[in-house]
Amino acid sequence: MLLPTMLYFFINNYLPMVGIYYAFVEFDFNKSLFHMNFVGLKNFEFLWKSGKLVELTLNTIGYNVVFILLGNVLSITVAILISEIKGKVFKKVTQSILFLPYFVSFVILSVIVFNLFNYEQGVLNSVLQQLGFDPVDVYSKPKLWIFFIIIFYLWKNFGYSMVIYLAAITGIGEDYYEAAKIDGANAFQRAWHITVPMLKNTFVILLLFALGSIMKGQFDLFYQMVGNNGLLYSTTDILDTYVYRSLRVTFDMGMATAAGVYQSLFGFTLIMVVNAIIRKINKDYALF
């Protein structure tokens, strides 16, 4: 029964790891992988000499930390609120409405964002002009996009985590809540002293999985929302978008692979350190 799963992961996850060798060779379309010139760590100089490695790393990590923390807090809060709804029909409809944005493609999201913030005909400036204010050129204000990216990410993705937490809440025994009611605990006290502690295990597992890809940076989100607007790069440029733009000029697969190896090693180190810390605090919550 495990064989199909093992084959899937071997073919799709482990076999492609041979391509890591691209990070250490001079890429040539006319040669096979192991016949290319070995250049050692030269491809990694691409990121370091650009002078933007620190900025790109901080942007990537910073956004993902906010995505993880705010996303989980919002998902847990909404999941608890929905679990308290008594009407089954209203409960199901609410879940569906909140989960629906997860299926919206990033291309559609970029269209929504453009129609909201377009300087000439966007909804925002149309409303401002109707109220007697001057229009705002949102696409020339980098700091505003920090909030826009976070807001649209949460709008699109928190529903998925919310469903996971809601499933975990339904697995909590009713005996705990009945005992708390007998002791006079209100809904907020039951949620804080019973539901939240019971969700710790689910939260830690999702946290560790998220940390493993903390350097990947949601390329589709950033590229579709920002595109090639250089005015916004200072606050919205991440490793994935920078490497993609560079590849459009150089077409060097070795440099792209080097960036991927850097991201993977950073994420691997981070998840190992966090898992070790969690093991010291409580072994039951660690992945291994």
Side-chain angles (χ1 to χ4, degrees):
M1 291 178 66
L2 284 174
L3 185 59
T5 303
M6 294 173 66
L7 286 173
Y8 172 83
F9 280 103
F10 175 75
I11 294 172
N12 294 283
N13 294 75
Y14 290 95
L15 195 59
M17 290 180 68
V18 176
I20 290 175
Y21 189 65
Y22 278 119
F24 306 97
V25 299
E26 183 180 356
F27 185 77
D28 188 342
F29 284 101
N30 298 316
K31 297 180 180 179
S32 61
L33 173 60
F34 295 104
H35 289 86
M36 297 180 188
N37 296 328
F38 183 80
V39 294
L41 300 176
K42 185 178 179 181
N43 286 323
F44 291 89
E45 296 178 7
F46 160 68
L47 289 174
W48 180 255
K49 288 184 176 180
S50 68
K52 296 191 65 176
L53 183 61
V54 175
E55 177 186 300
L56 294 170
T57 301
L58 290 177
N59 281 351
T60 306
I61 295 176
Y63 276 111
N64 276 289
V65 168
V66 175
F67 291 161
I68 293 170
L69 295 180
L70 285 184
N72 279 283
V73 170
L74 184 60
S75 298
I76 292 172
T77 303
V78 175
I80 292 173
L81 292 175
I82 290 178
S83 67
E84 294 293 328
I85 297 175
K86 303 301 180 184
K88 291 185 178 180
V89 176
F90 182 74
K91 187 174 183 178
K92 294 293 183 182
V93 171
T94 305
Q95 288 181 53
S96 300
I97 292 174
L98 294 175
F99 191 42
L100 187 61
Y102 181 76
F103 297 101
V104 176
S105 72
F106 286 103
V107 176
I108 300 300
L109 178 61
S110 68
V111 174
I112 295 173
V113 172
F114 181 78
N115 281 281
L116 283 174
F117 302 130
N118 179 265
Y119 182 78
E120 297 177 355
Q121 299 176 343
V123 174
L124 176 63
N125 284 329
S126 296
V127 172
L128 289 176
Q129 288 176 334
Q130 290 291 330
L131 296 175
F133 296 99
D134 294 328
V136 178
D137 187 4
V138 176
Y139 284 94
S140 65
K141 299 183 181 298
K143 292 183 179 180
L144 287 178
W145 285 86
I146 298 175
F147 303 99
F148 292 153
I149 287 175
I150 293 172
I151 290 170
F152 280 104
Y153 173 86
L154 294 176
W155 171 78
K156 187 180 185 305
N157 290 284
F158 94 93
Y160 181 82
S161 300
M162 180 268 297
V163 171
I164 297 176
Y165 284 116
L166 193 58
I169 291 173
T170 57
I172 301 174
E174 288 294 328
D175 296 343
Y176 295 103
Y177 297 105
E178 291 176 2
K181 288 179 181 178
I182 293 173
D183 291 337
N186 55 36
F188 175 79
Q189 291 171 327
R190 294 195 300 271
W192 182 253
H193 295 288
I194 298 175
T195 308
V196 172
M198 289 289 188
L199 293 177
K200 281 184 180 179
N201 193 26
T202 303
F203 170 76
V204 171
I205 292 174
L206 292 178
L207 173 65
L208 290 173
F209 284 146
L211 288 176
S213 58
I214 196 170
M215 291 295 290
K216 294 301 178 185
Q218 300 290 332
F219 169 80
D220 291 338
L221 172 68
F222 285 84
Y223 186 74
Q224 292 295 341
M225 285 188 64
V226 178
N228 295 315
N229 188 344
L231 295 175
L232 306 179
Y233 287 165
S234 61
T235 58
T236 62
D237 208 13
I238 58 175
L239 278 165
D240 295 84
T241 53
Y242 180 77
V243 171
Y244 174 74
R245 289 197 314 274
S246 299
L247 278 174
R248 291 178 64 184
V249 177
T250 63
F251 296 101
D252 193 330
M253 296 297 295
M255 293 181 180
T257 307
V261 172
Y262 167 71
Q263 291 174 302
S264 298
L265 288 176
F266 192 100
F268 174 76
T269 303
L270 184 62
I271 196 171
M272 292 296 290
V273 171
V274 173
N275 188 71
I277 295 173
I278 292 174
R279 280 194 66 186
K280 287 187 177 182
I281 298 174
N282 191 329
K283 291 184 178 180
D284 295 333
Y285 292 152
L287 282 178
F288 48 86

Short mmCIF file of all heavy atoms in Angstrom, two decimals, residues 67 70-76 78-79 82 94-103 151-167 206:
data_model
loop_
_atom_site.label_atom_id
_atom_site.label_comp_id
_atom_site.label_asym_id
_atom_site.label_seq_id
_atom_site.Cartn_x
_atom_site.Cartn_y
_atom_site.Cartn_z
N PHE A 67 2.95 36.38 7.36
CA PHE A 67 1.94 35.48 6.79
C PHE A 67 1.62 34.34 7.75
O PHE A 67 0.45 34.00 7.98
CB PHE A 67 2.44 34.88 5.47
CG PHE A 67 2.55 35.88 4.35
CD1 PHE A 67 3.33 35.59 3.23
CD2 PHE A 67 1.89 37.09 4.40
CE1 PHE A 67 3.43 36.49 2.19
CE2 PHE A 67 1.99 38.01 3.36
CZ PHE A 67 2.77 37.71 2.26
N LEU A 70 0.11 36.00 11.46
CA LEU A 70 -1.23 36.57 11.29
C LEU A 70 -2.20 35.56 10.69
O LEU A 70 -3.37 35.49 11.08
CB LEU A 70 -1.16 37.81 10.40
CG LEU A 70 -0.59 39.08 11.03
CD1 LEU A 70 -0.68 40.24 10.04
CD2 LEU A 70 -1.31 39.44 12.30
N GLY A 71 -1.70 34.76 9.73
CA GLY A 71 -2.56 33.77 9.10
C GLY A 71 -3.09 32.75 10.09
O GLY A 71 -4.28 32.43 10.09
N ASN A 72 -2.22 32.26 10.97
CA ASN A 72 -2.65 31.26 11.95
C ASN A 72 -3.54 31.86 13.02
O ASN A 72 -4.53 31.24 13.42
CB ASN A 72 -1.43 30.60 12.59
CG ASN A 72 -0.83 29.51 11.73
OD1 ASN A 72 -1.35 28.41 11.66
ND2 ASN A 72 0.26 29.83 11.06
N VAL A 73 -3.20 33.06 13.47
CA VAL A 73 -4.05 33.72 14.49
C VAL A 73 -5.44 33.98 13.93
O VAL A 73 -6.46 33.70 14.59
CB VAL A 73 -3.41 35.05 14.96
CG1 VAL A 73 -4.39 35.84 15.81
CG2 VAL A 73 -2.14 34.77 15.74
N LEU A 74 -5.51 34.50 12.71
CA LEU A 74 -6.80 34.77 12.08
C LEU A 74 -7.57 33.47 11.83
O LEU A 74 -8.78 33.41 12.07
CB LEU A 74 -6.58 35.51 10.76
CG LEU A 74 -7.84 35.97 10.01
CD1 LEU A 74 -8.67 36.92 10.86
CD2 LEU A 74 -7.46 36.64 8.69
N SER A 75 -6.87 32.44 11.37
CA SER A 75 -7.53 31.16 11.09
C SER A 75 -8.10 30.53 12.36
O SER A 75 -9.23 30.03 12.36
CB SER A 75 -6.55 30.19 10.43
OG SER A 75 -6.08 30.69 9.20
N ILE A 76 -7.32 30.56 13.43
CA ILE A 76 -7.78 29.99 14.71
C ILE A 76 -8.98 30.77 15.23
O ILE A 76 -9.98 30.18 15.68
CB ILE A 76 -6.64 29.99 15.75
CG1 ILE A 76 -5.55 29.00 15.33
CG2 ILE A 76 -7.16 29.66 17.13
CD1 ILE A 76 -4.30 29.06 16.19
N VAL A 78 -11.20 32.68 13.60
CA VAL A 78 -12.40 32.46 12.78
C VAL A 78 -12.93 31.04 12.96
O VAL A 78 -14.15 30.83 13.02
CB VAL A 78 -12.10 32.75 11.30
CG1 VAL A 78 -13.30 32.42 10.43
CG2 VAL A 78 -11.72 34.21 11.11
N ALA A 79 -12.03 30.07 13.06
CA ALA A 79 -12.45 28.68 13.26
C ALA A 79 -13.21 28.52 14.58
O ALA A 79 -14.24 27.82 14.64
CB ALA A 79 -11.24 27.75 13.24
N ILE A 82 -16.68 30.18 14.15
CA ILE A 82 -17.58 29.35 13.34
C ILE A 82 -18.05 28.12 14.12
O ILE A 82 -19.21 27.69 14.00
CB ILE A 82 -16.89 28.93 12.03
CG1 ILE A 82 -16.71 30.14 11.12
CG2 ILE A 82 -17.68 27.84 11.30
CD1 ILE A 82 -15.99 29.83 9.82
N THR A 94 -21.10 29.95 5.63
CA THR A 94 -20.00 30.79 6.09
C THR A 94 -18.65 30.16 5.76
O THR A 94 -17.72 30.82 5.28
CB THR A 94 -20.10 31.05 7.60
OG1 THR A 94 -21.37 31.61 7.91
CG2 THR A 94 -19.01 31.99 8.06
N GLN A 95 -18.54 28.86 6.03
CA GLN A 95 -17.30 28.14 5.71
C GLN A 95 -16.99 28.23 4.22
O GLN A 95 -15.85 28.48 3.82
CB GLN A 95 -17.43 26.66 6.09
CG GLN A 95 -17.41 26.39 7.58
CD GLN A 95 -17.52 24.90 7.86
OE1 GLN A 95 -16.75 24.10 7.34
NE2 GLN A 95 -18.47 24.52 8.67
N SER A 96 -18.00 28.02 3.41
CA SER A 96 -17.80 28.03 1.95
C SER A 96 -17.37 29.40 1.45
O SER A 96 -16.48 29.52 0.60
CB SER A 96 -19.09 27.60 1.24
OG SER A 96 -19.48 26.30 1.64
N ILE A 97 -17.99 30.45 1.97
CA ILE A 97 -17.66 31.82 1.55
C ILE A 97 -16.22 32.17 1.92
O ILE A 97 -15.49 32.77 1.14
CB ILE A 97 -18.64 32.83 2.18
CG1 ILE A 97 -20.04 32.63 1.59
CG2 ILE A 97 -18.17 34.26 1.95
CD1 ILE A 97 -21.10 33.47 2.24
N LEU A 98 -15.80 31.77 3.12
CA LEU A 98 -14.44 32.08 3.58
C LEU A 98 -13.39 31.23 2.86
O LEU A 98 -12.25 31.67 2.68
CB LEU A 98 -14.34 31.86 5.09
CG LEU A 98 -15.16 32.81 5.96
CD1 LEU A 98 -15.06 32.42 7.42
CD2 LEU A 98 -14.69 34.25 5.78
N PHE A 99 -13.79 30.03 2.46
CA PHE A 99 -12.85 29.13 1.79
C PHE A 99 -12.73 29.41 0.30
O PHE A 99 -11.73 29.09 -0.33
CB PHE A 99 -13.31 27.68 2.02
CG PHE A 99 -12.30 26.65 1.62
CD1 PHE A 99 -10.95 26.81 1.92
CD2 PHE A 99 -12.68 25.50 0.96
CE1 PHE A 99 -10.01 25.85 1.57
CE2 PHE A 99 -11.76 24.53 0.60
CZ PHE A 99 -10.42 24.71 0.91
N LEU A 100 -13.74 30.05 -0.27
CA LEU A 100 -13.80 30.28 -1.71
C LEU A 100 -12.61 31.07 -2.27
O LEU A 100 -12.09 30.72 -3.34
CB LEU A 100 -15.11 30.99 -2.07
CG LEU A 100 -15.41 31.17 -3.57
CD1 LEU A 100 -15.52 29.80 -4.24
CD2 LEU A 100 -16.70 31.96 -3.76
N PRO A 101 -12.12 32.14 -1.61
CA PRO A 101 -10.97 32.89 -2.18
C PRO A 101 -9.73 32.04 -2.40
O PRO A 101 -8.89 32.39 -3.24
CB PRO A 101 -10.71 33.97 -1.12
CG PRO A 101 -12.03 34.16 -0.45
CD PRO A 101 -12.66 32.80 -0.42
N TYR A 102 -9.60 30.93 -1.69
CA TYR A 102 -8.44 30.06 -1.86
C TYR A 102 -8.34 29.52 -3.29
O TYR A 102 -7.25 29.24 -3.79
CB TYR A 102 -8.50 28.90 -0.87
CG TYR A 102 -7.34 27.94 -0.95
CD1 TYR A 102 -6.09 28.29 -0.43
CD2 TYR A 102 -7.47 26.71 -1.57
CE1 TYR A 102 -5.01 27.43 -0.51
CE2 TYR A 102 -6.39 25.83 -1.66
CZ TYR A 102 -5.17 26.19 -1.12
OH TYR A 102 -4.10 25.33 -1.21
N PHE A 103 -9.48 29.40 -3.96
CA PHE A 103 -9.52 28.85 -5.32
C PHE A 103 -9.38 29.95 -6.39
O PHE A 103 -9.37 29.64 -7.58
CB PHE A 103 -10.81 28.08 -5.54
CG PHE A 103 -10.95 26.88 -4.64
CD1 PHE A 103 -11.75 26.94 -3.50
CD2 PHE A 103 -10.26 25.72 -4.91
CE1 PHE A 103 -11.87 25.85 -2.66
CE2 PHE A 103 -10.38 24.62 -4.08
CZ PHE A 103 -11.18 24.68 -2.95
N ILE A 151 -2.60 41.91 3.29
CA ILE A 151 -4.07 41.84 3.33
C ILE A 151 -4.60 40.88 2.28
O ILE A 151 -5.45 40.01 2.57
CB ILE A 151 -4.68 43.24 3.13
CG1 ILE A 151 -4.42 44.11 4.37
CG2 ILE A 151 -6.19 43.13 2.88
CD1 ILE A 151 -4.78 45.57 4.19
N PHE A 152 -4.10 40.99 1.05
CA PHE A 152 -4.60 40.12 -0.02
C PHE A 152 -4.15 38.67 0.17
O PHE A 152 -4.88 37.75 -0.20
CB PHE A 152 -4.15 40.64 -1.38
CG PHE A 152 -4.99 41.78 -1.88
CD1 PHE A 152 -4.52 43.08 -1.84
CD2 PHE A 152 -6.27 41.56 -2.37
CE1 PHE A 152 -5.30 44.13 -2.29
CE2 PHE A 152 -7.05 42.61 -2.82
CZ PHE A 152 -6.57 43.90 -2.78
N TYR A 153 -2.97 38.47 0.75
CA TYR A 153 -2.55 37.09 1.04
C TYR A 153 -3.47 36.45 2.06
O TYR A 153 -3.91 35.31 1.90
CB TYR A 153 -1.11 37.08 1.56
CG TYR A 153 -0.68 35.70 2.03
CD1 TYR A 153 -0.17 34.77 1.14
CD2 TYR A 153 -0.81 35.33 3.37
CE1 TYR A 153 0.21 33.51 1.55
CE2 TYR A 153 -0.44 34.07 3.80
CZ TYR A 153 0.06 33.16 2.89
OH TYR A 153 0.42 31.90 3.31
N LEU A 154 -3.77 37.19 3.14
CA LEU A 154 -4.65 36.65 4.17
C LEU A 154 -6.05 36.40 3.62
O LEU A 154 -6.67 35.38 3.92
CB LEU A 154 -4.71 37.62 5.36
CG LEU A 154 -3.40 37.81 6.14
CD1 LEU A 154 -3.59 38.85 7.22
CD2 LEU A 154 -2.94 36.49 6.75
N TRP A 155 -6.53 37.34 2.81
CA TRP A 155 -7.87 37.16 2.21
C TRP A 155 -7.94 35.90 1.37
O TRP A 155 -8.95 35.18 1.40
CB TRP A 155 -8.19 38.39 1.35
CG TRP A 155 -9.44 38.21 0.52
CD1 TRP A 155 -10.72 38.31 0.95
CD2 TRP A 155 -9.50 37.90 -0.88
NE1 TRP A 155 -11.59 38.08 -0.09
CE2 TRP A 155 -10.88 37.83 -1.24
CE3 TRP A 155 -8.54 37.69 -1.86
CZ2 TRP A 155 -11.29 37.55 -2.53
CZ3 TRP A 155 -8.95 37.40 -3.15
CH2 TRP A 155 -10.32 37.33 -3.48
N LYS A 156 -6.87 35.61 0.67
CA LYS A 156 -6.89 34.46 -0.24
C LYS A 156 -6.62 33.13 0.46
O LYS A 156 -7.18 32.10 0.09
CB LYS A 156 -5.85 34.66 -1.35
CG LYS A 156 -5.91 33.59 -2.44
CD LYS A 156 -4.88 33.84 -3.50
CE LYS A 156 -5.03 32.84 -4.65
NZ LYS A 156 -4.99 31.44 -4.24
N ASN A 157 -5.76 33.12 1.49
CA ASN A 157 -5.26 31.85 2.01
C ASN A 157 -5.73 31.45 3.40
O ASN A 157 -5.62 30.28 3.75
CB ASN A 157 -3.72 31.88 2.01
CG ASN A 157 -3.14 31.85 0.63
OD1 ASN A 157 -3.10 30.82 -0.03
ND2 ASN A 157 -2.66 33.01 0.16
N PHE A 158 -6.23 32.41 4.19
CA PHE A 158 -6.52 32.01 5.57
C PHE A 158 -7.67 31.01 5.65
O PHE A 158 -7.76 30.23 6.61
CB PHE A 158 -6.81 33.25 6.44
CG PHE A 158 -8.27 33.60 6.57
CD1 PHE A 158 -9.02 33.12 7.62
CD2 PHE A 158 -8.89 34.40 5.62
CE1 PHE A 158 -10.36 33.44 7.74
CE2 PHE A 158 -10.22 34.72 5.72
CZ PHE A 158 -10.97 34.24 6.80
N GLY A 159 -8.55 31.00 4.66
CA GLY A 159 -9.67 30.07 4.67
C GLY A 159 -9.24 28.61 4.67
O GLY A 159 -9.89 27.75 5.27
N TYR A 160 -8.11 28.32 4.00
CA TYR A 160 -7.60 26.95 3.95
C TYR A 160 -7.17 26.48 5.34
O TYR A 160 -7.54 25.38 5.78
CB TYR A 160 -6.43 26.88 2.97
CG TYR A 160 -5.83 25.50 2.82
CD1 TYR A 160 -6.41 24.56 1.98
CD2 TYR A 160 -4.67 25.15 3.51
CE1 TYR A 160 -5.86 23.31 1.83
CE2 TYR A 160 -4.12 23.90 3.37
CZ TYR A 160 -4.71 22.98 2.54
OH TYR A 160 -4.15 21.73 2.41
N SER A 161 -6.38 27.31 6.03
CA SER A 161 -5.94 26.95 7.38
C SER A 161 -7.12 26.91 8.34
O SER A 161 -7.16 26.09 9.27
CB SER A 161 -4.89 27.95 7.88
OG SER A 161 -3.76 27.96 7.04
N MET A 162 -8.08 27.79 8.11
CA MET A 162 -9.27 27.83 8.96
C MET A 162 -10.01 26.49 8.94
O MET A 162 -10.46 26.00 9.97
CB MET A 162 -10.18 28.96 8.50
CG MET A 162 -11.47 29.11 9.29
SD MET A 162 -12.86 28.19 8.56
CE MET A 162 -13.03 29.00 6.99
N VAL A 163 -10.11 25.88 7.77
CA VAL A 163 -10.78 24.58 7.64
C VAL A 163 -10.02 23.51 8.42
O VAL A 163 -10.63 22.64 9.06
CB VAL A 163 -10.91 24.19 6.16
CG1 VAL A 163 -11.40 22.76 6.01
CG2 VAL A 163 -11.86 25.14 5.44
N ILE A 164 -8.68 23.56 8.38
CA ILE A 164 -7.87 22.58 9.12
C ILE A 164 -8.11 22.72 10.62
O ILE A 164 -8.31 21.72 11.34
CB ILE A 164 -6.38 22.77 8.79
CG1 ILE A 164 -6.13 22.48 7.30
CG2 ILE A 164 -5.52 21.87 9.66
CD1 ILE A 164 -4.71 22.74 6.86
N TYR A 165 -8.09 23.97 11.10
CA TYR A 165 -8.32 24.18 12.53
C TYR A 165 -9.75 23.82 12.92
O TYR A 165 -9.98 23.30 14.02
CB TYR A 165 -8.03 25.64 12.90
CG TYR A 165 -6.56 25.96 12.97
CD1 TYR A 165 -5.97 26.87 12.10
CD2 TYR A 165 -5.75 25.37 13.93
CE1 TYR A 165 -4.62 27.17 12.16
CE2 TYR A 165 -4.40 25.66 14.01
CZ TYR A 165 -3.84 26.55 13.12
OH TYR A 165 -2.50 26.83 13.20
N LEU A 166 -10.68 24.09 12.05
CA LEU A 166 -12.07 23.74 12.33
C LEU A 166 -12.24 22.23 12.45
O LEU A 166 -12.99 21.74 13.31
CB LEU A 166 -12.98 24.29 11.23
CG LEU A 166 -14.49 24.30 11.50
CD1 LEU A 166 -14.81 25.10 12.76
CD2 LEU A 166 -15.23 24.87 10.30
N ALA A 167 -11.54 21.48 11.60
CA ALA A 167 -11.57 20.03 11.69
C ALA A 167 -10.97 19.55 13.01
O ALA A 167 -11.48 18.59 13.62
CB ALA A 167 -10.82 19.41 10.51
N LEU A 206 1.65 22.79 11.62
CA LEU A 206 1.52 23.73 10.51
C LEU A 206 2.65 24.75 10.50
O LEU A 206 3.13 25.15 9.43
CB LEU A 206 0.17 24.45 10.58
CG LEU A 206 -1.08 23.59 10.34
CD1 LEU A 206 -2.33 24.44 10.49
CD2 LEU A 206 -1.04 22.95 8.96
#
